[in-house]
Protein backbone atom coordinates (compact mmCIF):
# COMPACT_ATOMS: atom_id res chain seq x y z
CA UNK A 1 0.00 0.00 0.00
CA UNK A 2 1.20 3.49 -0.84
CA UNK A 3 1.63 5.71 2.16
CA UNK A 4 1.59 9.42 1.54
CA UNK A 5 3.05 12.26 3.46
CA UNK A 6 1.58 11.20 6.78
CA UNK A 7 2.87 14.14 8.74
CA UNK A 8 0.65 16.71 7.08
CA UNK A 9 -2.28 17.83 9.19
CA UNK A 10 -5.45 15.94 8.30
CA UNK A 11 -7.53 19.09 8.02
CA UNK A 12 -7.39 22.72 8.97
CA UNK A 13 -6.52 23.25 12.61
CA UNK A 14 -5.97 19.59 13.34
CA UNK A 15 -2.67 17.91 14.04
CA UNK A 16 -0.87 15.04 12.28
CA UNK A 17 -1.65 12.43 14.95
CA UNK A 18 -3.51 9.18 14.39
CA UNK A 19 -5.74 8.06 17.24
CA UNK A 20 -7.70 4.87 17.81
CA UNK A 21 -10.92 4.93 19.81
CA UNK A 22 -13.46 2.19 20.53
CA UNK A 23 -14.69 -0.27 23.09
CA UNK A 24 -12.54 -2.81 24.90
CA UNK A 25 -11.70 -5.76 22.68
CA UNK A 26 -11.83 -3.88 19.38
CA UNK A 27 -8.06 -4.25 18.96
CA UNK A 28 -6.90 -0.65 19.43
CA UNK A 29 -3.51 -1.52 20.94
CA UNK A 30 -2.69 -4.32 18.49
CA UNK A 31 -3.72 -2.26 15.48
CA UNK A 32 -1.99 0.84 16.87
CA UNK A 33 1.32 -1.03 17.11
CA UNK A 34 0.96 -2.26 13.53
CA UNK A 35 0.18 1.25 12.27
CA UNK A 36 3.10 2.77 14.14
CA UNK A 37 5.43 0.12 12.67
CA UNK A 38 4.20 0.78 9.16
CA UNK A 39 4.39 4.55 9.48
CA UNK A 40 7.69 4.62 11.37
CA UNK A 41 6.00 6.49 14.19
CA UNK A 42 6.10 6.20 17.96
CA UNK A 43 3.19 4.22 19.40
CA UNK A 44 1.62 5.35 22.66
CA UNK A 45 -0.94 3.34 24.61
CA UNK A 46 -2.79 5.64 26.98
CA UNK A 47 -3.58 2.86 29.50
CA UNK A 48 0.10 1.86 29.76
CA UNK A 49 1.08 5.52 30.13
CA UNK A 50 -1.44 5.93 32.96
CA UNK A 51 -0.08 2.84 34.74
CA UNK A 52 3.47 4.14 34.46
CA UNK A 53 2.52 7.57 35.81
CA UNK A 54 0.28 6.25 38.62
CA UNK A 55 2.71 3.45 39.44
CA UNK A 56 -0.30 1.12 39.70
CA UNK A 57 -2.27 -1.12 37.36
CA UNK A 58 -5.56 0.18 35.95
CA UNK A 59 -7.31 -2.44 38.09
CA UNK A 60 -5.58 -1.11 41.22
CA UNK A 61 -6.46 2.49 40.36
CA UNK A 62 -10.14 1.52 40.02
CA UNK A 63 -10.08 -0.59 43.22
CA UNK A 64 -8.08 1.81 45.42
CA UNK A 65 -9.09 5.22 44.10
CA UNK A 66 -12.33 4.60 42.20
CA UNK A 67 -13.39 5.29 38.61
CA UNK A 68 -13.55 9.12 38.89
CA UNK A 69 -9.89 9.17 39.99
CA UNK A 70 -9.03 6.90 37.07
CA UNK A 71 -10.81 9.33 34.71
CA UNK A 72 -8.71 12.18 36.17
CA UNK A 73 -5.52 10.21 35.49
CA UNK A 74 -6.80 9.48 32.00
CA UNK A 75 -7.54 13.15 31.29
CA UNK A 76 -4.15 14.33 32.59
CA UNK A 77 -2.31 11.62 30.65
CA UNK A 78 -4.16 12.34 27.40
CA UNK A 79 -3.38 16.02 27.82
CA UNK A 80 0.33 15.18 28.12
CA UNK A 81 0.38 12.71 25.24
CA UNK A 82 -1.37 15.09 22.85
CA UNK A 83 0.41 18.29 23.92
CA UNK A 84 2.17 19.96 21.00
CA UNK A 85 0.30 17.71 18.52
CA UNK A 86 3.04 15.11 18.02
CA UNK A 87 2.93 12.87 14.92
CA UNK A 88 2.43 9.68 16.92
CA UNK A 89 -0.08 6.81 16.88
CA UNK A 90 -2.18 6.82 20.05
CA UNK A 91 -4.44 4.04 21.36
CA UNK A 92 -6.95 5.24 23.94
CA UNK A 93 -8.89 3.37 26.63
CA UNK A 94 -12.51 2.61 25.79
CA UNK A 95 -13.82 5.37 28.06
CA UNK A 96 -11.44 8.13 26.97
CA UNK A 97 -14.24 9.69 24.92
CA UNK A 98 -16.41 10.27 28.01
CA UNK A 99 -15.04 13.69 28.91
CA UNK A 100 -15.63 16.57 26.57
CA UNK A 101 -12.13 17.92 27.19
CA UNK A 102 -10.66 14.59 26.03
CA UNK A 103 -12.80 14.56 22.90
CA UNK A 104 -11.67 18.07 22.03
CA UNK A 105 -8.00 17.15 22.54
CA UNK A 106 -8.26 13.98 20.49
CA UNK A 107 -9.97 15.82 17.65
CA UNK A 108 -7.26 18.48 17.63
CA UNK A 109 -4.57 15.78 17.81
CA UNK A 110 -5.45 14.42 14.38
CA UNK A 111 -7.29 11.69 12.51
CA UNK A 112 -9.65 9.63 14.66
CA UNK A 113 -10.37 6.01 13.74
CA UNK A 114 -13.18 4.25 15.63
CA UNK A 115 -12.89 0.46 15.77
CA UNK A 116 -16.21 -1.36 16.08
CA UNK A 117 -17.69 -4.84 16.56
CA UNK A 118 -21.06 -6.15 17.76
CA UNK A 119 -21.45 -6.67 21.53
CA UNK A 120 -21.67 -10.46 21.13
CA UNK A 121 -18.35 -10.49 19.28
CA UNK A 122 -16.71 -8.20 21.84
CA UNK A 123 -17.99 -10.42 24.68
CA UNK A 124 -16.45 -13.52 23.04
CA UNK A 125 -13.14 -11.74 22.52
CA UNK A 126 -13.03 -10.41 26.09
CA UNK A 127 -13.98 -13.75 27.63
CA UNK A 128 -11.34 -15.55 25.57
CA UNK A 129 -8.69 -13.22 26.97
CA UNK A 130 -8.05 -14.77 30.41
CA UNK A 131 -5.29 -12.33 31.35
CA UNK A 132 -7.43 -9.40 30.33
CA UNK A 133 -10.38 -10.79 32.31
CA UNK A 134 -8.27 -10.80 35.45
CA UNK A 135 -6.78 -7.35 34.83
CA UNK A 136 -9.78 -5.45 33.47
CA UNK A 137 -11.94 -3.72 36.08
CA UNK A 138 -15.69 -4.25 35.63
CA UNK A 139 -17.53 -1.08 34.62
CA UNK A 140 -20.92 -2.29 35.90
CA UNK A 141 -22.18 -5.34 37.79
CA UNK A 142 -24.16 -6.56 34.78
CA UNK A 143 -21.82 -9.30 33.45
CA UNK A 144 -19.75 -9.17 30.28
CA UNK A 145 -22.35 -9.08 27.48
CA UNK A 146 -24.97 -6.96 29.27
CA UNK A 147 -22.27 -4.53 30.41
CA UNK A 148 -21.10 -4.08 26.82
CA UNK A 149 -24.67 -3.52 25.61
CA UNK A 150 -25.39 -0.96 28.35
CA UNK A 151 -22.11 0.91 28.13
CA UNK A 152 -22.11 1.00 24.32
CA UNK A 153 -25.66 2.39 24.29
CA UNK A 154 -24.35 5.39 26.17
CA UNK A 155 -20.97 5.68 24.42
CA UNK A 156 -21.88 5.03 20.79
CA UNK A 157 -23.02 8.62 20.06
CA UNK A 158 -19.77 9.89 21.58
CA UNK A 159 -17.59 7.57 19.48
CA UNK A 160 -19.65 8.44 16.42
CA UNK A 161 -19.47 12.18 16.99
CA UNK A 162 -15.69 12.13 17.33
CA UNK A 163 -14.70 9.64 14.64
CA UNK A 164 -13.42 10.58 11.18
CA UNK A 165 -13.89 6.99 10.17
CA UNK A 166 -15.56 3.87 11.63
CA UNK A 167 -13.84 0.59 10.87
CA UNK A 168 -15.74 -2.61 11.45
CA UNK A 169 -13.31 -5.23 12.83
CA UNK A 170 -15.34 -8.45 13.00
CA UNK A 171 -14.21 -10.13 9.79
CA UNK A 172 -10.79 -8.53 9.63
CA UNK A 173 -7.36 -9.42 10.98
CA UNK A 174 -5.49 -6.62 12.80
CA UNK A 175 -3.37 -6.14 9.64
CA UNK A 176 -6.52 -5.73 7.54
CA UNK A 177 -7.93 -3.24 10.04
CA UNK A 178 -4.68 -1.27 9.76
CA UNK A 179 -4.97 -1.40 5.92
CA UNK A 180 -8.52 -0.01 6.08
CA UNK A 181 -7.46 2.82 8.37
CA UNK A 182 -4.52 3.78 6.14
CA UNK A 183 -6.73 3.69 3.03
CA UNK A 184 -9.23 6.02 4.63
CA UNK A 185 -6.54 8.23 6.10
CA UNK A 186 -4.73 8.60 2.81
CA UNK A 187 -7.94 9.52 1.01
CA UNK A 188 -8.97 12.12 3.57
CA UNK A 189 -9.88 15.54 2.24
C1 LIG B 1 -12.05 1.30 30.06
C2 LIG B 1 -11.27 0.66 29.11
C3 LIG B 1 -9.90 0.24 29.38
C4 LIG B 1 -9.26 1.07 30.50
C5 LIG B 1 -10.14 1.08 31.70
C6 LIG B 1 -11.52 1.67 31.41
C7 LIG B 1 -13.42 1.70 29.71
O1 LIG B 1 -9.11 0.38 28.20
O2 LIG B 1 -9.00 2.38 30.08
O3 LIG B 1 -10.25 -0.24 32.17
O4 LIG B 1 -14.02 2.52 30.43
O5 LIG B 1 -13.94 1.22 28.67
P1 LIG B 1 -9.21 -0.63 26.93
O6 LIG B 1 -10.33 -0.16 26.07
O7 LIG B 1 -7.88 -0.44 26.27
O8 LIG B 1 -9.38 -2.01 27.48
Amino acid sequence: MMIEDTTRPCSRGRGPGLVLIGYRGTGKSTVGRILAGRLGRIFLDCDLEIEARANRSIREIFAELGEPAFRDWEERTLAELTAGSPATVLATGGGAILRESNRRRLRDFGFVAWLTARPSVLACRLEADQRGLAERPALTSAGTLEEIVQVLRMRTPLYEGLADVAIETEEKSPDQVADSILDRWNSRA
Side-chain angles (χ1 to χ4, degrees):
M1 168 178 315
M2 236 239 343
I3 297 166
E4 301 174 358
D5 171 14
T6 55
T7 55
R8 73 183 159 89
C10 67
S11 63
R12 234 161 57 120
R14 295 178 68 191
L18 176 54
V19 61
L20 302 174
I21 61 169
Y23 201 78
R24 292 168 164 177
T26 52
K28 293 163 291 180
S29 301
T30 307
V31 171
R33 266 189 204 97
I34 293 171
L35 286 168
R38 294 217 204 149
L39 296 167
R41 287 184 169 206
I42 289 172
F43 171 65
L44 295 167
D45 184 316
C46 187
D47 283 345
L48 295 181
E49 297 293 327
I50 294 169
E51 292 185 330
R53 286 165 173 74
N55 205 20
R56 290 177 172 89
S57 68
I58 304 277
R59 193 180 182 86
E60 285 166 346
I61 302 174
F62 267 73
E64 293 168 19
L65 309 174
E67 184 172 346
F70 169 76
R71 298 296 167 202
D72 291 341
W73 273 107
E74 187 172 53
E75 184 173 3
R76 280 195 297 275
T77 304
L78 276 176
E80 281 178 38
L81 300 180
T82 57
S85 297
T88 54
V89 177
L90 174 63
T92 57
I97 43 69
L98 289 172
R99 292 194 176 173
E100 206 271 328
S101 54
N102 292 344
R103 296 199 295 277
R104 193 167 11 86
R105 280 196 181 100
L106 293 177
R107 209 182 145 65
D108 290 346
F109 173 71
F111 189 75
V112 183
W114 172 31
L115 306 191
T116 71
R118 276 171 299 165
S120 55
V121 173
L122 294 175
C124 287
R125 288 184 188 166
L126 295 180
E127 286 187 342
D129 174 11
Q130 285 307 313
R131 216 178 112 226
L133 268 187
E135 288 173 3
R136 204 175 282 121
L139 301 173
T140 67
S141 53
T144 309
L145 179 58
E146 190 49 32
E147 173 172 295
I148 295 170
V149 170
Q150 285 177 15
V151 174
L152 267 183
R153 195 173 295 137
M154 195 268 284
R155 290 185 184 173
T156 295
L158 301 177
Y159 289 131
E160 217 161 26
L162 179 61
D164 292 296
V165 61
I167 306 288
E168 198 277 309
T169 66
E170 285 183 21
E171 302 292 328
K172 296 189 183 88
S173 68
D175 271 304
Q176 289 170 324
V177 174
D179 287 341
S180 301
I181 293 171
L182 290 175
D183 281 344
R184 299 292 296 273
W185 193 29
N186 285 332
S187 59
R188 69 195 183 273

